[in-house]
Amino acid sequence: MGSAKHFGLQGHALSRLQTALIVAPSFILFGYNQAGIGGLITEDNWVKTFPEIDTVNATKDEKSERSTLQGFVVAVFVIGALFGALSCSYTGDRFGRRNVIFFAGICTFVGEVLEAAAFGLPQFIVGRVVVGLGVGQLSSLVPVWQSETSGAKNRGRHVVLDGVFICLGYVLESWIDLGFFELKMGAATWRAPIAIAALFSLILTASIYMFPESPRWLLMVNKSDQARENLSVLRGLPQDAPEVQAEIAGIEHSLEITANGGAKLSHLLKMGKDKLAYRFGLCILLQFYQQMSGSNLISVYAPILFQENLGLSSEISRVLSGGALTWKFLSSFMAFFCIDRFGRRAVFIISGTGMSCCMIALAVANSFPTSNRASQIAAGCFIYLYNMFVPIGFLGANFLYCTEVAPLRLRMAMSSISTANHWAWNFLVVMVTPVAIYSIGWQYYIVFAAIAACVPISVFFLFPETMGRNLEEIDLVFKESPSAWATVQFEKKHRGLAAPVDYSEKADIEAKHEHVDD
């Protein structure tokens, strides 16, 4: 039996409840709030409340200026998220994973209340920033907490669920928006959809302290007894089980090596034996690809793409947008089944190739006038097809990979900075899109097509596989490879040949040598 403070559960049962009460609300909030106003900005009552960003009734001269301001209002959420993610590089290690997740939940709740109660643009902008602050912390910290509490075998599935729930957030927002849109008039058409998100914030904050803190963080702050207790609960094994003892020893050894090296943020820009600059570069590049391959363009601005870019009616645009995001949600389960079967590299390569091809097709289809019905249908189909490829590799797997390749003492810093990088590019896309759609139209898609085409090439040569290894083994793969360029081949050579026990023995020998040197 598990501890009463953990619902009397342990092992897989506790992990499933953690997914339902913490991971699901966290990433539903991510998707719901990010897409939260993309479909509301053409509502009649919204336009009356915030005329400064009304592009529906704007004249040609006003449209450019209002489009820029509209992009800014949508994007201030991302500014908050960027600072929230960056803050975790300090707060995540200083206060612990659970405490920061609780604070993030409070931020999202306060921000949602401010947004839903706004009667002027300044209050609404403040609410967007506060919501973003909370979501940024959740996007940075929850995947780290998941990776540190999950076993190696199913770690990929656990963290890829983040992407499934982000999609679910998009889907819920889209259909809830459509439902309240049918009211036609009144403040409820946009206030209610925003306020509904507060329910997920309340579930998150009420549940977080019912789950174990990360054993790796506890060992990092010298709470070894509690770490051993938590790990035994998470694995569903007695505290004196050999598996628990071995994992604790591996974490302690990893901490000892990193501590001897100093583990400073400045080390992220240096190679050294740990190849930290290489690992950090992989994280930065992956999060860059996630945004600049166009995923946020399609998710946040889908109603606008259908309505303004393809010339469809407001209602049909919302229906098609909801359908596209529902299809994206269903497609995200492919990653869940593939990530621990075919590996991280395979899903990145397939996803990048598919996204690039779809963006090329969208550019071609949108180059025809909106009166061309065949091109409209083709563009709609390729938006749906694009939404099938995105979640395979870039809606959860990217967060997972960044937490896997980072060493323990710098995992929080590396994850938070790379996630902040994700939000920085997100800000650029959200800010530029309304103006770009209005000014350059179909040519905008070519940018995303070119960047997505780089994904399979860089992944093939630079990104080593991490599937099936625990976090300490992955750390040793990077340390023992002869160079950054040779890491992929080194990992391939030792996959299937080097069992975990071999890495443990190597670690023990290395530790003994260090003690002798001391």
Side-chain angles (χ1 to χ4, degrees):
M1 283 291 290
S3 170
K5 65 182 179 182
H6 303 313
F7 302 95
L9 301 174
Q10 60 181 345
H12 293 303
L14 183 62
S15 178
R16 285 192 289 269
L17 196 62
Q18 178 192 37
T19 299
L21 295 181
I22 306 300
V23 180
S26 296
F27 286 95
I28 288 173
L29 284 168
F30 183 135
Y32 195 100
N33 283 294
Q34 180 159 308
I37 67 172
L40 302 177
I41 52 184
T42 56
E43 301 273 9
D44 288 340
N45 190 266
W46 171 279
V47 168
K48 291 176 183 176
T49 308
F50 308 115
E52 306 96 322
I53 54 174
D54 174 17
T55 57
V56 177
N57 304 305
T59 65
K60 188 174 182 180
D61 293 334
E62 294 172 331
K63 196 161 188 177
S64 178
E65 182 181 343
R66 291 187 181 183
S67 293
T68 303
L69 183 57
Q70 183 187 92
F72 175 75
V73 172
V74 176
V76 289
F77 165 82
V78 182
I79 296 174
L82 191 154
F83 284 104
L86 277 176
S87 70
C88 289
S89 62
Y90 171 75
T91 59
D93 287 338
R94 176 68 179 82
F95 301 110
R97 310 326 191 202
R98 295 188 306 173
N99 290 335
V100 179
I101 291 172
F102 176 80
F103 177 74
I106 295 295
C107 285
T108 59
F109 178 78
V110 171
E112 286 148 2
V113 170
L114 287 172
E115 284 183 316
F119 282 93
L121 203 56
Q123 180 180 333
F124 189 84
I125 289 173
V126 170
R128 288 290 285 171
V129 172
V130 175
V131 171
L133 184 70
V135 170
Q137 292 173 89
L138 294 174
S139 67
S140 177
L141 197 53
V142 172
V144 172
W145 187 51
Q146 282 179 279
S147 291
E148 292 182 343
T149 56
S150 300
K153 184 178 179 181
N154 293 314
R155 182 177 62 247
R157 289 186 178 185
H158 287 166
V159 182
V160 164
L161 278 173
D162 299 353
V164 174
F165 293 127
I166 291 172
C167 279
L168 181 57
Y170 284 135
V171 169
L172 289 174
E173 190 283 329
S174 185
W175 290 114
I176 289 171
D177 170 30
L178 176 61
F180 282 96
F181 171 78
E182 295 299 333
L183 295 176
K184 304 300 182 185
M185 301 294 291
T189 55
W190 65 271
R191 293 188 191 277
I194 291 173
I196 285 171
L199 174 65
F200 300 106
S201 301
L202 292 173
I203 293 171
L204 173 64
T205 53
S207 306
I208 183 63
Y209 289 112
M210 300 299 288
F211 294 91
E213 180 58 273
S214 162
R216 287 171 169 84
W217 179 77
L218 290 168
L219 283 170
M220 194 163 65
V221 294
N222 300 314
K223 296 182 179 180
S224 55
D225 290 341
Q226 190 178 345
R228 187 172 286 102
E229 177 188 345
N230 283 10
L231 189 62
S232 71
V233 170
L234 289 164
R235 301 293 176 263
L237 297 167
Q239 290 189 36
D240 57 357
E243 295 88 345
V244 173
Q245 299 294 342
E247 191 166 350
I248 289 289
I251 298 168
E252 288 175 334
H253 173 70
S254 179
L255 279 169
E256 182 181 354
I257 292 175
T258 315
N260 290 338
K264 298 176 182 177
L265 280 176
S266 60
H267 290 177
L268 292 179
L269 303 178
K270 300 176 183 177
M271 287 296 286
K273 184 181 177 183
D274 290 348
K275 301 176 185 64
L276 293 178
Y278 168 47
R279 301 198 219 185
F280 185 52
L282 295 180
C283 296
I284 293 293
L285 190 59
L286 207 55
Q287 299 290 24
F288 167 77
Y289 284 148
Q290 202 276 341
Q291 284 302 314
M292 294 308 292
S293 295
S295 62
N296 207 42
L297 164 71
I298 302 297
S299 295
V300 175
Y301 286 108
I304 295 175
L305 294 179
F306 284 117
Q307 186 171 345
E308 296 189 15
N309 215 214
L310 299 182
L312 302 176
S313 70
S314 181
E315 187 169 21
I316 292 297
S317 295
R318 281 172 168 78
V319 172
L320 289 175
S321 174
L325 294 172
T326 302
W327 173 242
K328 186 176 185 179
F329 169 66
L330 296 174
S331 299
S332 64
F333 285 96
M334 285 193 285
F336 180 77
F337 292 109
C338 293
I339 191 74
D340 283 325
R341 184 166 298 167
F342 302 114
R344 286 44 161 166
R345 283 163 51 85
V347 297
F348 290 145
I349 289 171
I350 292 168
S351 189
T353 303
M355 288 191 295
S356 181
C357 292
C358 289
M359 279 295 173
I360 293 170
L362 277 170
V364 173
N366 279 278
S367 66
F368 293 94
T370 55
S371 58
N372 189 318
R373 184 165 176 77
S375 68
Q376 282 188 315
I377 294 171
C381 289
F382 280 110
I383 286 175
Y384 273 70
L385 189 59
Y386 180 89
N387 275 348
M388 182 185 79
F389 283 108
V390 173
I392 292 175
F394 285 92
L395 206 61
N398 51 310
F399 292 108
L400 164 70
Y401 195 86
C402 292
T403 63
E404 289 181 323
V405 301
L408 178 53
R409 277 196 178 272
L410 286 169
R411 183 169 297 135
M412 196 63 257
M414 196 176 288
S415 175
S416 64
I417 295 171
S418 64
T419 304
N421 170 67
H422 159 98
W423 288 112
W425 292 109
N426 187 316
F427 174 79
L428 178 66
V429 172
V430 173
M431 186 73 190
V432 167
T433 293
V435 180
I437 289 174
Y438 172 69
S439 58
I440 62 174
W442 64 270
Q443 298 171 70
Y444 189 43
Y445 298 101
I446 296 175
V447 176
F448 299 107
I451 293 172
C454 297
V455 173
I457 299 169
S458 56
V459 168
F460 184 82
F461 289 107
L462 295 174
F463 287 70
E465 186 56 72
T466 57
M467 178 181 69
R469 299 187 186 277
N470 67 41
L471 300 179
E472 286 64 47
E473 290 170 14
I474 295 168
D475 191 34
L476 279 170
V477 167
F478 281 97
K479 288 177 180 177
E480 297 303 317
S481 68
S483 70
W485 287 106
T487 302
V488 170
Q489 292 303 319
F490 178 83
E491 192 283 328
K492 285 182 179 178
K493 181 180 178 182
H494 290 80
R495 178 161 292 276
L497 297 177
V501 66
D502 297 327
Y503 281 100
S504 299
E505 289 170 0
K506 176 131 184 104
D508 290 340
I509 293 168
E510 192 174 310
K512 288 175 183 176
H513 282 308
E514 286 173 0
H515 289 310
V516 169
D517 292 340
D518 291 342

